[in-house]
Amino acid sequence: FPVTICSLIWLSSKYDKNISEEVIEGVRFKYIGSFLNRDKISVILFSFPLFYISVIYNYHKYFRGKVDLVIEEIHGIPYLTPIYVKEKIVVYIHEIAGDIWDKMFNFPINKIGKIIETLFLRFYKKIKFVTASKSSEKDLINSGIQKKNISIVEHGISLKPLDKVQKKYQNFTLVFLNRLVKMKGPERALEIFAEFLKKNPGSELYIIGQGEPIYLEKLKQLSIDLQINENVYFKGYVNEKEKIEILQKSH
C-alpha cells in the first residue's frame, strides 16, 4: 500500500467478492478478510474473526510506522488498537451497542457481547473519542470514558437545497427508510402504522431498505396479520434519485 503525503486508506470487509480495492471521493478503500454477509452465525464464527485478524496483520505489514493517525471505528466489539498500534489513535463510535445485543442475538451470545463490549472499552480510557450525540456521550461516560476525551460531531448531509417542491402523493404517505433488521424497528413501524391507519383511512406506508429474505417475509406476514398489507409497499433497495423523489413526495 503506497502511503502518500496526504492520504486516507480505509480498511473494510468485502461487500463484493470481485472487488479488492477502489477509490471513492478520494478515499482509498482496501477490502480484506472474507466476504461479509448478514448471516449472524457466519459473521460471529467466521467473517468477523477473519476480518479482525486481517486488520492486525495488514497494520503490522503495511502501515506500522508509516502513518500519522489511526482512526478506529467501534461498532460492538472493538479492535483493541491501543494494545498494538504505536501511532496516535482516535476512536469514532456511533453508539454503545448495549441492549441491541438482546434484540439481535439470543442467549448466550447477547450476554457475552455485552460483557466483552464493556470490558474492552477499559483499554481506551486515555484515547480520544468522537461520537455523534449526547446520548452516546452519556453511554461512553457510563462505560468509564472521561468526558474530556469525548467530542461530539453531529451528522451532516450531502443533499443540495431543493430547487422546487415536489407535488405530494395523492394519499397521505409515510416512509420507513432503513436496513431491515429487528434492531432498527420495522416491526414497530408496522404496528404504529396500523394504529395510524384506523384514524387515517387510505394512508400508505413505503418501506425502503433491504434485509434477510426470512426476516422480510416475517415483516410481510406481520402486515397481513395487522390487516394493513394493502396499504404497505415494500420497495426494497432504491437508488439515490428514487429515494429522494419518494421522500419529497411523501408527507
Side-chain angles (χ1 to χ4, degrees):
F1 302 105
V3 179
T4 60
I5 294 177
C6 183
S7 62
L8 176 60
I9 301 173
W10 191 319
L11 298 183
S12 172
S13 54
K14 297 178 181 179
Y15 73 94
D16 188 317
K17 296 177 181 178
N18 299 315
I19 301 177
S20 59
E21 62 178 278
E22 61 185 333
V23 177
I24 303 175
E25 296 185 4
V27 179
R28 183 181 176 189
F29 288 84
K30 179 67 179 177
Y31 304 112
I32 60 179
S34 64
F35 175 70
L36 180 65
N37 59 47
R38 292 297 178 187
D39 179 69
K40 290 181 283 191
I41 301 301
S42 175
V43 169
I44 293 170
L45 298 181
F46 180 71
S47 300
F48 181 75
L50 183 57
F51 178 66
Y52 201 108
I53 294 170
S54 298
V55 167
I56 299 173
Y57 170 79
N58 276 272
Y59 165 74
H60 281 283
K61 184 173 183 179
Y62 299 108
F63 303 113
R64 183 182 172 94
K66 298 179 181 179
V67 296
D68 300 297
L69 176 68
V70 171
I71 302 173
E72 176 183 353
E73 181 181 0
I74 295 179
H75 187 70
I77 299 176
Y79 294 99
L80 298 179
T81 53
I83 296 178
Y84 56 88
V85 169
K86 301 304 179 183
E87 290 80 14
K88 185 176 180 180
I89 300 168
V90 172
V91 170
Y92 172 74
I93 183 167
H94 179 73
E95 63 194 359
I96 299 289
D99 292 339
I100 292 175
W101 287 101
D102 297 325
K103 293 183 179 294
M104 296 300 296
F105 299 99
N106 296 323
F107 181 85
I109 295 176
N110 58 338
K111 300 300 180 184
I112 294 173
K114 280 185 173 182
I115 293 172
I116 290 177
E117 183 179 41
T118 301
L119 290 177
F120 280 15
L121 283 174
R122 295 180 180 179
F123 290 93
Y124 294 82
K125 288 188 175 181
K126 296 182 180 181
I127 303 297
K128 299 293 185 181
F129 277 73
V130 174
T131 190
S133 66
K134 281 287 185 181
S135 60
S136 292
E137 179 190 52
K138 181 179 178 180
D139 289 340
L140 284 169
I141 293 172
N142 291 336
S143 299
I145 306 301
Q146 296 184 50
K147 185 174 182 178
K148 67 178 183 179
N149 288 336
I150 305 171
S151 298
I152 296 177
V153 178
E154 296 177 348
H155 295 302
I157 58 174
S158 57
L159 297 177
K160 297 178 180 178
L162 296 177
D163 53 357
K164 62 179 179 179
V165 178
Q166 291 278 6
K167 184 179 180 180
K168 298 296 183 179
Y169 291 119
Q170 182 176 353
N171 295 328
F172 192 92
T173 306
L174 299 92
V175 175
F176 179 88
L177 172 62
N178 222 316
R179 185 161 58 93
L180 298 184
V181 293
K182 188 177 182 64
M183 68 177 181
K184 300 294 186 181
E187 295 172 43
R188 180 119 184 189
L190 289 171
E191 292 166 354
I192 291 171
F193 179 67
E195 294 300 314
F196 182 85
L197 195 59
K198 292 176 183 177
K199 298 182 180 180
N200 301 273
S203 299
E204 297 178 343
L205 172 64
Y206 286 2
I207 296 183
I208 302 174
Q210 292 177 305
E212 295 177 9
I214 294 177
Y215 187 65
L216 180 58
E217 288 304 313
K218 180 180 178 180
L219 294 175
K220 291 181 178 179
Q221 184 59 52
L222 178 59
S223 71
I224 294 173
D225 296 341
L226 293 169
Q227 299 180 352
I228 59 174
N229 54 298
E230 293 185 359
N231 299 77
V232 177
Y233 299 89
F234 289 88
K235 305 291 287 185
Y237 171 82
V238 300
N239 61 38
E240 190 75 3
K241 181 180 179 181
E242 185 179 0
K243 180 191 75 174
I244 293 173
E245 182 178 333
I246 291 173
L247 293 176
Q248 288 179 347
K249 291 183 177 180
S250 299
H251 298 81

